[in-house]
PDB file of all heavy atoms in Angstrom:
ATOM      1  N   GLY A   1     -88.531-120.813 146.028  1.00  0.00           N
ATOM      2  CA  GLY A   1     -89.622-121.714 146.360  1.00  0.00           C
ATOM      3  C   GLY A   1     -89.187-123.156 146.336  1.00  0.00           C
ATOM      4  O   GLY A   1     -88.337-123.557 145.528  1.00  0.00           O
ATOM      5  N   SER A   2     -89.744-123.944 147.237  1.00  0.00           N
ATOM      6  CA  SER A   2     -89.558-125.395 147.163  1.00  0.00           C
ATOM      7  C   SER A   2     -90.387-125.910 145.993  1.00  0.00           C
ATOM      8  O   SER A   2     -91.438-125.348 145.667  1.00  0.00           O
ATOM      9  CB  SER A   2     -89.993-126.068 148.463  1.00  0.00           C
ATOM     10  OG  SER A   2     -91.322-125.711 148.782  1.00  0.00           O
ATOM     11  N   ILE A   3     -89.915-126.959 145.330  1.00  0.00           N
ATOM     12  CA  ILE A   3     -90.569-127.431 144.115  1.00  0.00           C
ATOM     13  C   ILE A   3     -90.962-128.899 144.239  1.00  0.00           C
ATOM     14  O   ILE A   3     -90.615-129.579 145.204  1.00  0.00           O
ATOM     15  CB  ILE A   3     -89.670-127.234 142.877  1.00  0.00           C
ATOM     16  CG1 ILE A   3     -88.326-127.964 143.041  1.00  0.00           C
ATOM     17  CG2 ILE A   3     -89.456-125.756 142.615  1.00  0.00           C
ATOM     18  CD1 ILE A   3     -87.428-127.895 141.817  1.00  0.00           C
ATOM     19  N   THR A   4     -91.690-129.365 143.236  1.00  0.00           N
ATOM     20  CA  THR A   4     -92.257-130.709 143.284  1.00  0.00           C
ATOM     21  C   THR A   4     -91.264-131.813 142.947  1.00  0.00           C
ATOM     22  O   THR A   4     -91.607-132.993 143.072  1.00  0.00           O
ATOM     23  CB  THR A   4     -93.469-130.789 142.333  1.00  0.00           C
ATOM     24  OG1 THR A   4     -93.151-130.160 141.090  1.00  0.00           O
ATOM     25  CG2 THR A   4     -94.668-130.081 142.943  1.00  0.00           C
ATOM     26  N   LEU A   5     -90.055-131.488 142.537  1.00  0.00           N
ATOM     27  CA  LEU A   5     -88.991-132.490 142.482  1.00  0.00           C
ATOM     28  C   LEU A   5     -88.484-132.686 143.907  1.00  0.00           C
ATOM     29  O   LEU A   5     -88.286-131.714 144.641  1.00  0.00           O
ATOM     30  CB  LEU A   5     -87.846-132.012 141.593  1.00  0.00           C
ATOM     31  CG  LEU A   5     -88.157-131.708 140.127  1.00  0.00           C
ATOM     32  CD1 LEU A   5     -86.916-131.164 139.427  1.00  0.00           C
ATOM     33  CD2 LEU A   5     -88.666-132.943 139.427  1.00  0.00           C
ATOM     34  N   ASP A   6     -88.248-133.930 144.311  1.00  0.00           N
ATOM     35  CA  ASP A   6     -87.827-134.128 145.697  1.00  0.00           C
ATOM     36  C   ASP A   6     -86.977-135.380 145.882  1.00  0.00           C
ATOM     37  O   ASP A   6     -86.855-136.229 144.998  1.00  0.00           O
ATOM     38  CB  ASP A   6     -89.034-134.170 146.635  1.00  0.00           C
ATOM     39  CG  ASP A   6     -89.970-135.359 146.394  1.00  0.00           C
ATOM     40  OD1 ASP A   6     -89.841-136.018 145.344  1.00  0.00           O
ATOM     41  OD2 ASP A   6     -90.848-135.612 147.246  1.00  0.00           O
ATOM     42  N   THR A   7     -86.368-135.447 147.058  1.00  0.00           N
ATOM     43  CA  THR A   7     -85.628-136.620 147.516  1.00  0.00           C
ATOM     44  C   THR A   7     -86.455-137.270 148.613  1.00  0.00           C
ATOM     45  O   THR A   7     -86.898-136.587 149.538  1.00  0.00           O
ATOM     46  CB  THR A   7     -84.249-136.227 148.067  1.00  0.00           C
ATOM     47  OG1 THR A   7     -83.574-135.413 147.101  1.00  0.00           O
ATOM     48  CG2 THR A   7     -83.411-137.457 148.367  1.00  0.00           C
ATOM     49  N   ILE A   8     -86.692-138.571 148.487  1.00  0.00           N
ATOM     50  CA  ILE A   8     -87.570-139.250 149.433  1.00  0.00           C
ATOM     51  C   ILE A   8     -86.831-140.401 150.106  1.00  0.00           C
ATOM     52  O   ILE A   8     -85.815-140.888 149.608  1.00  0.00           O
ATOM     53  CB  ILE A   8     -88.858-139.767 148.761  1.00  0.00           C
ATOM     54  CG1 ILE A   8     -88.525-140.841 147.708  1.00  0.00           C
ATOM     55  CG2 ILE A   8     -89.630-138.613 148.133  1.00  0.00           C
ATOM     56  CD1 ILE A   8     -89.766-141.502 147.082  1.00  0.00           C
ATOM     57  N   ALA A   9     -87.363-140.818 151.256  1.00  0.00           N
ATOM     58  CA  ALA A   9     -86.732-141.917 152.003  1.00  0.00           C
ATOM     59  C   ALA A   9     -87.774-142.749 152.722  1.00  0.00           C
ATOM     60  O   ALA A   9     -88.809-142.243 153.155  1.00  0.00           O
ATOM     61  CB  ALA A   9     -85.719-141.375 153.000  1.00  0.00           C
ATOM     62  N   VAL A  10     -87.485-144.023 152.842  1.00  0.00           N
ATOM     63  CA  VAL A  10     -88.166-144.933 153.763  1.00  0.00           C
ATOM     64  C   VAL A  10     -87.133-145.274 154.821  1.00  0.00           C
ATOM     65  O   VAL A  10     -86.026-145.720 154.497  1.00  0.00           O
ATOM     66  CB  VAL A  10     -88.639-146.217 153.045  1.00  0.00           C
ATOM     67  CG1 VAL A  10     -89.255-147.185 154.032  1.00  0.00           C
ATOM     68  CG2 VAL A  10     -89.610-145.880 151.927  1.00  0.00           C
ATOM     69  N   ALA A  11     -87.444-145.030 156.096  1.00  0.00           N
ATOM     70  CA  ALA A  11     -86.415-145.159 157.123  1.00  0.00           C
ATOM     71  C   ALA A  11     -86.985-145.663 158.448  1.00  0.00           C
ATOM     72  O   ALA A  11     -88.171-145.481 158.743  1.00  0.00           O
ATOM     73  CB  ALA A  11     -85.740-143.798 157.341  1.00  0.00           C
ATOM     74  N   VAL A  12     -86.099-146.279 159.233  1.00  0.00           N
ATOM     75  CA  VAL A  12     -86.418-146.662 160.618  1.00  0.00           C
ATOM     76  C   VAL A  12     -85.206-146.327 161.479  1.00  0.00           C
ATOM     77  O   VAL A  12     -84.057-146.423 161.032  1.00  0.00           O
ATOM     78  CB  VAL A  12     -86.734-148.172 160.759  1.00  0.00           C
ATOM     79  CG1 VAL A  12     -88.011-148.531 160.030  1.00  0.00           C
ATOM     80  CG2 VAL A  12     -85.560-149.027 160.277  1.00  0.00           C
ATOM     81  N   PRO A  13     -85.437-145.929 162.754  1.00  0.00           N
ATOM     82  CA  PRO A  13     -84.308-145.666 163.644  1.00  0.00           C
ATOM     83  C   PRO A  13     -83.671-146.968 164.121  1.00  0.00           C
ATOM     84  O   PRO A  13     -84.316-148.023 164.129  1.00  0.00           O
ATOM     85  CB  PRO A  13     -84.960-144.919 164.816  1.00  0.00           C
ATOM     86  CG  PRO A  13     -86.379-145.400 164.822  1.00  0.00           C
ATOM     87  CD  PRO A  13     -86.738-145.660 163.386  1.00  0.00           C
ATOM     88  N   THR A  14     -82.413-146.899 164.506  1.00  0.00           N
ATOM     89  CA  THR A  14     -81.699-148.053 165.061  1.00  0.00           C
ATOM     90  C   THR A  14     -81.028-147.632 166.361  1.00  0.00           C
ATOM     91  O   THR A  14     -80.941-146.444 166.673  1.00  0.00           O
ATOM     92  CB  THR A  14     -80.628-148.577 164.079  1.00  0.00           C
ATOM     93  OG1 THR A  14     -79.643-147.538 163.867  1.00  0.00           O
ATOM     94  CG2 THR A  14     -81.244-148.957 162.742  1.00  0.00           C
ATOM     95  N   ASP A  15     -80.545-148.611 167.111  1.00  0.00           N
ATOM     96  CA  ASP A  15     -79.888-148.296 168.382  1.00  0.00           C
ATOM     97  C   ASP A  15     -78.388-148.526 168.333  1.00  0.00           C
ATOM     98  O   ASP A  15     -77.724-148.626 169.370  1.00  0.00           O
ATOM     99  CB  ASP A  15     -80.504-149.110 169.519  1.00  0.00           C
ATOM    100  CG  ASP A  15     -80.442-150.617 169.260  1.00  0.00           C
ATOM    101  OD1 ASP A  15     -79.779-151.032 168.294  1.00  0.00           O
ATOM    102  OD2 ASP A  15     -81.053-151.369 170.048  1.00  0.00           O
ATOM    103  N   ASP A  16     -77.815-148.599 167.113  1.00  0.00           N
ATOM    104  CA  ASP A  16     -76.388-148.908 166.995  1.00  0.00           C
ATOM    105  C   ASP A  16     -75.521-147.693 166.655  1.00  0.00           C
ATOM    106  O   ASP A  16     -74.322-147.821 166.424  1.00  0.00           O
ATOM    107  CB  ASP A  16     -76.166-149.999 165.954  1.00  0.00           C
ATOM    108  CG  ASP A  16     -76.693-149.614 164.581  1.00  0.00           C
ATOM    109  OD1 ASP A  16     -77.162-148.465 164.411  1.00  0.00           O
ATOM    110  OD2 ASP A  16     -76.649-150.473 163.670  1.00  0.00           O
ATOM    111  N   ASN A  17     -76.119-146.483 166.581  1.00  0.00           N
ATOM    112  CA  ASN A  17     -75.366-145.255 166.290  1.00  0.00           C
ATOM    113  C   ASN A  17     -74.664-145.306 164.936  1.00  0.00           C
ATOM    114  O   ASN A  17     -73.629-144.676 164.740  1.00  0.00           O
ATOM    115  CB  ASN A  17     -74.338-144.977 167.401  1.00  0.00           C
ATOM    116  CG  ASN A  17     -74.160-143.485 167.647  1.00  0.00           C
ATOM    117  OD1 ASN A  17     -75.102-142.712 167.543  1.00  0.00           O
ATOM    118  ND2 ASN A  17     -72.952-143.076 167.986  1.00  0.00           N
ATOM    119  N   VAL A  18     -75.263-146.056 164.016  1.00  0.00           N
ATOM    120  CA  VAL A  18     -74.716-146.169 162.663  1.00  0.00           C
ATOM    121  C   VAL A  18     -75.829-145.863 161.668  1.00  0.00           C
ATOM    122  O   VAL A  18     -76.950-146.351 161.806  1.00  0.00           O
ATOM    123  CB  VAL A  18     -74.149-147.584 162.399  1.00  0.00           C
ATOM    124  CG1 VAL A  18     -73.743-147.737 160.936  1.00  0.00           C
ATOM    125  CG2 VAL A  18     -72.968-147.858 163.323  1.00  0.00           C
ATOM    126  N   ILE A  19     -75.508-145.038 160.677  1.00  0.00           N
ATOM    127  CA  ILE A  19     -76.442-144.761 159.595  1.00  0.00           C
ATOM    128  C   ILE A  19     -76.084-145.662 158.424  1.00  0.00           C
ATOM    129  O   ILE A  19     -74.947-145.655 157.939  1.00  0.00           O
ATOM    130  CB  ILE A  19     -76.381-143.283 159.164  1.00  0.00           C
ATOM    131  CG1 ILE A  19     -76.894-142.384 160.290  1.00  0.00           C
ATOM    132  CG2 ILE A  19     -77.189-143.057 157.885  1.00  0.00           C
ATOM    133  CD1 ILE A  19     -76.736-140.901 160.026  1.00  0.00           C
ATOM    134  N   THR A  20     -77.051-146.457 157.985  1.00  0.00           N
ATOM    135  CA  THR A  20     -76.858-147.374 156.860  1.00  0.00           C
ATOM    136  C   THR A  20     -77.962-147.120 155.847  1.00  0.00           C
ATOM    137  O   THR A  20     -79.138-147.123 156.206  1.00  0.00           O
ATOM    138  CB  THR A  20     -76.929-148.842 157.315  1.00  0.00           C
ATOM    139  OG1 THR A  20     -76.000-149.053 158.387  1.00  0.00           O
ATOM    140  CG2 THR A  20     -76.596-149.782 156.158  1.00  0.00           C
ATOM    141  N   PHE A  21     -77.586-146.865 154.597  1.00  0.00           N
ATOM    142  CA  PHE A  21     -78.633-146.643 153.609  1.00  0.00           C
ATOM    143  C   PHE A  21     -78.175-147.013 152.204  1.00  0.00           C
ATOM    144  O   PHE A  21     -76.978-147.137 151.914  1.00  0.00           O
ATOM    145  CB  PHE A  21     -79.111-145.183 153.646  1.00  0.00           C
ATOM    146  CG  PHE A  21     -78.156-144.187 153.042  1.00  0.00           C
ATOM    147  CD1 PHE A  21     -78.271-143.787 151.711  1.00  0.00           C
ATOM    148  CD2 PHE A  21     -77.155-143.627 153.806  1.00  0.00           C
ATOM    149  CE1 PHE A  21     -77.397-142.862 151.160  1.00  0.00           C
ATOM    150  CE2 PHE A  21     -76.281-142.697 153.264  1.00  0.00           C
ATOM    151  CZ  PHE A  21     -76.403-142.316 151.934  1.00  0.00           C
ATOM    152  N   TYR A  22     -79.164-147.190 151.357  1.00  0.00           N
ATOM    153  CA  TYR A  22     -78.957-147.414 149.928  1.00  0.00           C
ATOM    154  C   TYR A  22     -79.619-146.262 149.174  1.00  0.00           C
ATOM    155  O   TYR A  22     -80.667-145.749 149.581  1.00  0.00           O
ATOM    156  CB  TYR A  22     -79.577-148.729 149.472  1.00  0.00           C
ATOM    157  CG  TYR A  22     -78.916-149.957 150.052  1.00  0.00           C
ATOM    158  CD1 TYR A  22     -79.287-150.444 151.304  1.00  0.00           C
ATOM    159  CD2 TYR A  22     -77.929-150.643 149.346  1.00  0.00           C
ATOM    160  CE1 TYR A  22     -78.696-151.573 151.842  1.00  0.00           C
ATOM    161  CE2 TYR A  22     -77.335-151.780 149.875  1.00  0.00           C
ATOM    162  CZ  TYR A  22     -77.714-152.237 151.122  1.00  0.00           C
ATOM    163  OH  TYR A  22     -77.124-153.355 151.654  1.00  0.00           O
ATOM    164  N   SER A  23     -79.007-145.861 148.073  1.00  0.00           N
ATOM    165  CA  SER A  23     -79.553-144.792 147.245  1.00  0.00           C
ATOM    166  C   SER A  23     -79.852-145.348 145.860  1.00  0.00           C
ATOM    167  O   SER A  23     -78.975-145.966 145.222  1.00  0.00           O
ATOM    168  CB  SER A  23     -78.556-143.634 147.139  1.00  0.00           C
ATOM    169  OG  SER A  23     -79.093-142.571 146.382  1.00  0.00           O
ATOM    170  N   GLU A  24     -81.088-145.174 145.418  1.00  0.00           N
ATOM    171  CA  GLU A  24     -81.512-145.720 144.131  1.00  0.00           C
ATOM    172  C   GLU A  24     -80.589-145.248 143.007  1.00  0.00           C
ATOM    173  O   GLU A  24     -80.266-144.064 142.901  1.00  0.00           O
ATOM    174  CB  GLU A  24     -82.950-145.290 143.833  1.00  0.00           C
ATOM    175  CG  GLU A  24     -83.507-145.919 142.565  1.00  0.00           C
ATOM    176  CD  GLU A  24     -84.949-145.526 142.314  1.00  0.00           C
ATOM    177  OE1 GLU A  24     -85.337-144.399 142.698  1.00  0.00           O
ATOM    178  OE2 GLU A  24     -85.684-146.336 141.736  1.00  0.00           O
ATOM    179  N   GLY A  25     -80.160-146.190 142.196  1.00  0.00           N
ATOM    180  CA  GLY A  25     -79.274-145.869 141.088  1.00  0.00           C
ATOM    181  C   GLY A  25     -77.804-146.058 141.396  1.00  0.00           C
ATOM    182  O   GLY A  25     -76.957-145.931 140.511  1.00  0.00           O
ATOM    183  N   TYR A  26     -77.489-146.319 142.661  1.00  0.00           N
ATOM    184  CA  TYR A  26     -76.101-146.524 143.068  1.00  0.00           C
ATOM    185  C   TYR A  26     -75.957-147.917 143.678  1.00  0.00           C
ATOM    186  O   TYR A  26     -76.651-148.254 144.641  1.00  0.00           O
ATOM    187  CB  TYR A  26     -75.662-145.468 144.086  1.00  0.00           C
ATOM    188  CG  TYR A  26     -75.655-144.071 143.527  1.00  0.00           C
ATOM    189  CD1 TYR A  26     -76.819-143.292 143.564  1.00  0.00           C
ATOM    190  CD2 TYR A  26     -74.514-143.528 142.948  1.00  0.00           C
ATOM    191  CE1 TYR A  26     -76.832-142.013 143.042  1.00  0.00           C
ATOM    192  CE2 TYR A  26     -74.517-142.249 142.417  1.00  0.00           C
ATOM    193  CZ  TYR A  26     -75.676-141.494 142.470  1.00  0.00           C
ATOM    194  OH  TYR A  26     -75.691-140.221 141.944  1.00  0.00           O
ATOM    195  N   ASP A  27     -75.057-148.710 143.139  1.00  0.00           N
ATOM    196  CA  ASP A  27     -74.851-150.076 143.595  1.00  0.00           C
ATOM    197  C   ASP A  27     -73.871-150.067 144.767  1.00  0.00           C
ATOM    198  O   ASP A  27     -72.722-150.513 144.647  1.00  0.00           O
ATOM    199  CB  ASP A  27     -74.319-150.938 142.446  1.00  0.00           C
ATOM    200  CG  ASP A  27     -74.230-152.413 142.821  1.00  0.00           C
ATOM    201  OD1 ASP A  27     -74.922-152.802 143.779  1.00  0.00           O
ATOM    202  OD2 ASP A  27     -73.474-153.149 142.156  1.00  0.00           O
ATOM    203  N   LYS A  28     -74.350-149.512 145.894  1.00  0.00           N
ATOM    204  CA  LYS A  28     -73.442-149.324 147.019  1.00  0.00           C
ATOM    205  C   LYS A  28     -74.237-149.217 148.312  1.00  0.00           C
ATOM    206  O   LYS A  28     -75.316-148.633 148.340  1.00  0.00           O
ATOM    207  CB  LYS A  28     -72.623-148.040 146.814  1.00  0.00           C
ATOM    208  CG  LYS A  28     -71.694-147.671 147.950  1.00  0.00           C
ATOM    209  CD  LYS A  28     -70.935-146.393 147.645  1.00  0.00           C
ATOM    210  CE  LYS A  28     -70.008-146.006 148.800  1.00  0.00           C
ATOM    211  NZ  LYS A  28     -69.250-144.767 148.500  1.00  0.00           N
ATOM    212  N   GLN A  29     -73.686-149.777 149.372  1.00  0.00           N
ATOM    213  CA  GLN A  29     -74.253-149.592 150.701  1.00  0.00           C
ATOM    214  C   GLN A  29     -73.431-148.523 151.411  1.00  0.00           C
ATOM    215  O   GLN A  29     -72.215-148.620 151.527  1.00  0.00           O
ATOM    216  CB  GLN A  29     -74.210-150.893 151.512  1.00  0.00           C
ATOM    217  CG  GLN A  29     -74.833-150.770 152.892  1.00  0.00           C
ATOM    218  CD  GLN A  29     -74.631-152.025 153.735  1.00  0.00           C
ATOM    219  OE1 GLN A  29     -73.498-152.444 153.958  1.00  0.00           O
ATOM    220  NE2 GLN A  29     -75.726-152.621 154.182  1.00  0.00           N
ATOM    221  N   TYR A  30     -74.103-147.478 151.863  1.00  0.00           N
ATOM    222  CA  TYR A  30     -73.423-146.407 152.601  1.00  0.00           C
ATOM    223  C   TYR A  30     -73.517-146.707 154.092  1.00  0.00           C
ATOM    224  O   TYR A  30     -74.597-146.985 154.621  1.00  0.00           O
ATOM    225  CB  TYR A  30     -74.079-145.054 152.318  1.00  0.00           C
ATOM    226  CG  TYR A  30     -73.836-144.539 150.924  1.00  0.00           C
ATOM    227  CD1 TYR A  30     -74.697-144.873 149.883  1.00  0.00           C
ATOM    228  CD2 TYR A  30     -72.752-143.713 150.639  1.00  0.00           C
ATOM    229  CE1 TYR A  30     -74.484-144.394 148.599  1.00  0.00           C
ATOM    230  CE2 TYR A  30     -72.532-143.227 149.366  1.00  0.00           C
ATOM    231  CZ  TYR A  30     -73.402-143.568 148.349  1.00  0.00           C
ATOM    232  OH  TYR A  30     -73.187-143.098 147.080  1.00  0.00           O
ATOM    233  N   ILE A  31     -72.379-146.627 154.780  1.00  0.00           N
ATOM    234  CA  ILE A  31     -72.334-146.866 156.222  1.00  0.00           C
ATOM    235  C   ILE A  31     -71.545-145.736 156.866  1.00  0.00           C
ATOM    236  O   ILE A  31     -70.383-145.495 156.521  1.00  0.00           O
ATOM    237  CB  ILE A  31     -71.686-148.213 156.561  1.00  0.00           C
ATOM    238  CG1 ILE A  31     -72.452-149.372 155.902  1.00  0.00           C
ATOM    239  CG2 ILE A  31     -71.618-148.416 158.066  1.00  0.00           C
ATOM    240  CD1 ILE A  31     -71.811-150.733 156.102  1.00  0.00           C
ATOM    241  N   ILE A  32     -72.177-145.023 157.799  1.00  0.00           N
ATOM    242  CA  ILE A  32     -71.516-143.929 158.501  1.00  0.00           C
ATOM    243  C   ILE A  32     -71.606-144.193 159.996  1.00  0.00           C
ATOM    244  O   ILE A  32     -72.701-144.191 160.577  1.00  0.00           O
ATOM    245  CB  ILE A  32     -72.162-142.562 158.175  1.00  0.00           C
ATOM    246  CG1 ILE A  32     -72.087-142.285 156.671  1.00  0.00           C
ATOM    247  CG2 ILE A  32     -71.493-141.438 158.946  1.00  0.00           C
ATOM    248  CD1 ILE A  32     -73.297-142.724 155.899  1.00  0.00           C
ATOM    249  N   ASP A  33     -70.465-144.413 160.613  1.00  0.00           N
ATOM    250  CA  ASP A  33     -70.394-144.637 162.057  1.00  0.00           C
ATOM    251  C   ASP A  33     -70.366-143.273 162.748  1.00  0.00           C
ATOM    252  O   ASP A  33     -69.426-142.488 162.561  1.00  0.00           O
ATOM    253  CB  ASP A  33     -69.140-145.436 162.405  1.00  0.00           C
ATOM    254  CG  ASP A  33     -69.085-145.845 163.877  1.00  0.00           C
ATOM    255  OD1 ASP A  33     -69.843-145.266 164.678  1.00  0.00           O
ATOM    256  OD2 ASP A  33     -68.286-146.726 164.216  1.00  0.00           O
TER     257      ASP A  33
END
């Protein structure tokens, strides 16, 4: 069963073909081309 613990996101699409995100608790910017 799926449970009430979860991973959540606030997101918007971009037109640069790059995924950029921050993850709470990690002092790092993730960039994936």
Side-chain angles (χ1 to χ4, degrees):
S2 55
I3 58 176
T4 44
L5 300 176
D6 65 346
T7 308
I8 64 175
V10 176
V12 294
T14 63
D15 57 9
D16 58 4
N17 214 35
V18 173
I19 293 174
T20 306
F21 74 94
Y22 294 85
S23 182
E24 185 178 31
Y26 296 87
D27 186 20
K28 176 180 179 179
Q29 182 187 57
Y30 289 89
I31 301 176
I32 301 93
D33 187 344

